[in-house]
Structures are given as C-alpha cells and as structure tokens.
Amino acid sequence: MWWDRPGLGDGKEADNKHSKNIIKKLAECDEHGNALIDLVLVLLDGSTRDLGTSYELINSVIIPNLGSNKKDRILVAINQCDVAMKGNHWNHRENKPEPPLQKFLDEKVQSVQRRIKEGTGVDIEPIYYSAGYKEDGEKQNPYNLSKLLYFIIQHTPKEKRLVYVNNISKDDEM
C-alpha cells in the first residue's frame, strides 16, 4: 500500500492536523492485527539546511507511533543530492558527487542519523540520492536510485517483496 502525505511546515494548525492523520494511519491494522503500513519513507530535501520541521515529524510523530521494530519500519532518504551545496561539486559528466560534495553529503547523513538517535534512541541508516530529470532537452540520470530501491525492498516484509518484481521499470536508462 502506498500512502503519500503532504509535508509539514504550512502552519501550526495544518501541521497538527497532518500529524494526527499520520498517527491515525500508522495505527491502522489488518484483520490479523498487523500494521497496514510496513515502511515509512521520509524524504528530506538535500538542498536545504533547515530540517527542523522534518526532525519534529520523525522524532515526535512517526517513530513513537511505529510500534515494535521501529528501526526496520522507517527509511530516511535525502533527495536532490545533486543540488546540495547549491549544485557545486556535482560531476555532471560522470553523474556523481566530487570529493567536497561527497564529504558534505556523508556529514549530512551522519547529522541526520545522530539527531534521530538523540531524539528517539532509534539508530537508522539514511541514504542520499537524486531522482534525475529530463527537461528542455537536458537530462541527468538518477544517482543512488537503485540503492534507494534496495533499501525499500530490504525493509519490506519478505512475503510482500514480490510486488516489486512486477513493477520494475524496463527503461534501460533507469
């Protein structure tokens, strides 16, 4: 089941409403008492430094309401790694970060990991990626997207992984 929620940051009242809806959705169970939500994927914007609202959502809303196996039910991914540091140090020809950006992204992963661990006691392993794009004749291939898919599959219950096989893109560029 895929359930996409709007992000927070639209004001205190809207944030409270979104938080309550997320908590309600995380509490839903099937007829056998199993949680309907197997995995929560939180996407962070790699191009911004202001992640306070995201940490509040993760630490105060999502993780406390995941029940058991919290570590296996959340994945934090940092999107747009290619435009972190204002797009500097991204090697477009090789489609990968150059050493200064690589260091920055690794430090961002460590910072996210540390802040979540400090706030919740849960040790997660964030990853970073770029979805790629095609726009006005320009194209950039995805970066670490297969790693993101691997992490999603790894955190999906084994009995539900087969659904991914039938939905993998046949596009060679992906």
Side-chain angles (χ1 to χ4, degrees):
M1 170 192 252
W2 178 262
W3 188 63
D4 188 10
R5 287 298 313 146
L8 299 184
D10 294 332
K12 191 97 173 137
E13 188 174 321
D15 287 355
N16 286 336
K17 181 181 173 188
H18 292 320
S19 295
K20 286 177 185 176
N21 287 335
I22 291 169
I23 292 167
K24 183 179 173 186
K25 185 56 76 175
L26 289 173
E28 289 183 6
C29 294
D30 66 14
E31 64 275 3
H32 303 290
N34 299 315
L36 287 180
I37 304 295
D38 296 314
L39 174 68
V40 176
L41 174 61
V42 179
L43 301 179
L44 301 179
D45 183 351
S47 66
T48 185
R49 295 179 86 74
D50 181 17
L51 297 175
T53 302
S54 298
Y55 290 127
E56 180 69 22
L57 172 68
I58 294 166
N59 293 348
S60 299
V61 176
I62 295 173
I63 290 180
N65 291 286
L66 285 178
S68 61
N69 292 334
K70 293 176 186 341
K71 181 184 185 311
D72 295 328
R73 294 190 60 212
I74 185 167
L75 174 58
V76 177
I78 301 166
N79 189 10
Q80 299 184 2
C81 68
D82 57 320
V83 293
M85 293 182 73
K86 300 181 180 178
N88 294 317
H89 306 292
W90 184 261
N91 185 325
H92 290 277
R93 194 177 83 257
E94 295 181 24
N95 194 42
K96 67 179 190 177
E98 294 173 343
L101 180 55
Q102 178 82 43
K103 182 177 187 274
F104 175 84
L105 292 167
D106 289 341
E107 288 171 353
K108 190 166 208 141
V109 163
Q110 291 170 358
S111 174
V112 169
Q113 185 176 30
R114 184 178 58 254
R115 294 217 26 207
I116 292 172
K117 176 82 171 180
E118 288 171 356
T120 66
V122 176
D123 193 17
I124 62 153
E125 187 178 345
I127 66 165
Y128 53 87
Y129 76 101
S130 171
Y133 62 86
K134 282 184 182 179
E135 187 177 298
D136 298 330
E138 284 189 50
K139 179 184 125 187
Q140 179 177 303
N141 288 328
Y143 177 79
N144 266 359
L145 203 54
S146 59
K147 184 176 182 180
L148 176 61
L149 177 58
Y150 172 77
F151 271 54
I152 291 170
I153 292 170
Q154 186 181 35
H155 286 82
T156 299
K158 289 180 178 146
E159 65 275 8
K160 296 182 180 180
R161 292 179 184 172
L162 189 57
V163 74
Y164 297 119
V165 174
N166 295 325
N167 291 295
I168 292 177
S169 173
K170 305 294 186 225
D171 185 346
D172 290 339
E173 291 181 349
M174 292 293 134

